[in-house]
Amino acid sequence: MAAKSGFHSSHESVYHYLRTKCHASHSYQNPMLFGDRAVSFLGDVRFPSSDLAEIFISEGTLHLNVGRAHGVFKDDEYDIFPYDPKMRIQSFTKMASVRIKVDIVHGITSDVVVTQGSSSGEEIRTGWKARPLTHFSAQKAHVNLASNVGASKDWSVALASSKFLQPISENMESPPYSYQVNMNDHLEYEVSDSLGNRLINVPVILAQTAGAMANVVRILEHVAKFKSIEILENRLMSSWLETAFTVNIFDSQQQTLDASGVLEVRANEVVNFTFRNLSHRPLYLTIYDLTPAWQIQGIFSSGGGPDYWVIQPEDKAKNYTGQKNIPMRMVIPEEIKQRGLTECDDVMKLFVTTRPTSFAALNLPKIKMLDETLSRNKSDDLADFLAKLALPHRGSDVDRPHDEDWATRNYIIRTKAGDKEYR
């Protein structure tokens, strides 16, 4: 019956809807999702729920389920609309909606107000979806155009239209740039860092091909998003949370990070992360792998697990150990090997929160290579969440635990090929 009526909804979209409804009524109930979140019920149309935030109502106030930890800023704008499991992806931009604006940003949620499409907001319900429209991050990645590229008006317009990029001229008195576009001897555009080193595993674009400039801008946007997630941190984290957990990392020989914060392993070697909850309340752990292919994926969710794991404090009576062990087998991706490289770095980014939250919006695909079509990530709107945090200094209440406190940790795992690889 559902299939005949055109019902198409992924496991993930239904889960997020039910989780939001459940949390609004019972804040301590946190349903979890296991399995392939992209699979659709009775059909092949997939609802991109991870690309959208969600509305919930508490004590008569409208809230979003994203906050500072997701890169949200005051005055960010969203369109919101009712959740409909039969909705097809193509219908998002066609439906009537209500516009909201972020009023107050908290750690992992935000308070919002209605600005358009509703006089009272009374018809809005918990579980409505929110699609980002505008983003008010104060920081952008500065891009320099080398002299052999030329700072044409077209380049300036293309870069300035991006939410993540700001063009500067080589001859202007400008802030230090993050990336530079060069033209190599083969008349190809290359992207290098501020030291002039070409970015590894980033495609070059033949200058004479149609859409070359647009493709370079898209690559720069992807890299800027990736880097903004890598440096994402909570500058308002309470001192309580700083001491509430420990993370230990060891290779198969029980070696740990070196003085520079890097753990070197051989290909196929297993690295063990041990997270220990030292507090007296549950902590929620999410881990993302920022890969050498400029891809970001959840360690738990990509394997069919939940968005996060709940780490209960140690309680021998309840058989809680207060810790979780996470083994990870490190490999060198094929695209890295094909470039003749024998080592690569993965940045493992840990998010620790004091209440459940999803960071699914942080997922990024790999950068498309030369023989593939370079196109905007379907979650490009949601990428507004990914700009760098520009937060004030800590307040006066940093010593007490918060319901919306969060912390991050970055760990670099360097995987090297060798005569003998682990099997």
Side-chain angles (χ1 to χ4, degrees), residues 126-171:
T126 290
W128 278 33
K129 299 292 183 180
R131 181 171 62 91
L133 294 176
T134 58
H135 182 65
F136 284 87
S137 168
Q139 299 190 35
K140 291 187 175 185
H142 289 87
V143 178
N144 184 59
L145 300 174
S147 57
N148 60 0
V149 173
S152 71
K153 182 179 179 181
D154 289 341
W155 271 109
S156 297
V157 170
L159 291 169
S161 65
S162 168
K163 300 181 180 74
F164 296 92
L165 308 173
Q166 177 67 46
I168 64 174
S169 169
E170 198 172 50
N171 300 319

Side-chain angles (χ1 to χ4, degrees), residues 29 55 70 104 121 202 208 218 236 239 249 257 272:
Q29 295 295 316
I55 287 287
H70 307 85
I104 300 174
V202 170
Q208 300 304 316
R218 291 170 187 175
L236 298 175
S239 57
I249 307 173
L257 302 172
N272 287 285

Side-chain angles (χ1 to χ4, degrees), residues 24-40:
S25 300
H26 308 284
S27 60
Y28 294 101
Q29 295 295 316
N30 304 300
M32 300 178 75
L33 172 65
F34 293 84
D36 187 349
R37 59 198 58 229
V39 170
S40 284

Side-chain angles (χ1 to χ4, degrees), residues 283-295:
L283 295 176
Y284 302 84
L285 173 66
T286 302
I287 303 180
Y288 276 87
D289 182 4
L290 283 68
T291 76
W294 301 94
Q295 179 184 21

Side-chain angles (χ1 to χ4, degrees), residues 70-78 99-103 105 115 132-140 162-164 381 383-391:
H70 307 85
V72 175
F73 284 79
K74 179 178 171 60
D75 293 330
D76 286 358
E77 292 183 307
Y78 295 76
R99 184 160 299 182
I100 61 170
K101 183 169 68 172
V102 175
D103 184 36
V105 185
T115 59
L133 294 176
T134 58
H135 182 65
F136 284 87
S137 168
Q139 299 190 35
K140 291 187 175 185
S162 168
K163 300 181 180 74
F164 296 92
D381 285 336
D384 288 338
F385 285 151
L386 310 182
K388 302 174 185 177
L389 290 183
L391 302 177

Side-chain angles (χ1 to χ4, degrees), residues 249-257 263 269-270 272 274 422:
I249 307 173
F250 296 97
D251 64 10
S252 60
Q253 306 299 315
Q254 295 302 300
Q255 298 297 311
T256 189
L257 302 172
L263 176 62
E269 188 172 353
V270 173
N272 287 285
T274 300
Y422 278 77

